[in-house]
Amino acid sequence: MTQYVWTLRAPGRQDLQRVTTLEEMQDTLMKLELPGGVPPGWILTNTGNSDVAGHGHYTHNAGGKDEWSLTWTRLDS
């Protein structure tokens, strides 16, 4: 089972840092009801803003009032 270490940063919230599976990460993000929803699974597993598969950074609404960001790294098992 592949694990990810990830950090969510959003204005007005404490940074949220976790180590979970991809499914658990997406479930947690959905429960937080972030503006704009949750990034699609293909962003998290394939691309992100990184040249290394399984690692990346996603920013929703950069510079806007609903900005939040997610950074993740796949842990090798």
Side-chain angles (χ1 to χ4, degrees), residues 8-46:
L8 172 72
R9 291 185 173 87
R13 298 182 189 234
Q14 246 184 354
D15 289 357
L16 180 62
Q17 298 178 328
R18 297 280 189 271
V19 176
T20 65
T21 64
L22 179 62
E23 292 79 18
E24 292 167 328
M25 179 191 340
Q26 290 178 309
D27 186 51
T28 300
L29 295 172
M30 288 176 58
K31 288 177 182 175
L32 292 172
E33 297 181 0
L34 298 164
V38 179
W42 66 267
I43 289 176
L44 299 176
T45 56
N46 295 321

Side-chain angles (χ1 to χ4, degrees), residues 2 4-5 15-16 25 28 32 35 46-48 56 59 64 67 74:
T2 302
Y4 291 81
V5 58
D15 289 357
L16 180 62
M25 179 191 340
T28 300
L32 292 172
N46 295 321
T47 58
T59 300
E67 179 177 326
R74 184 183 66 215

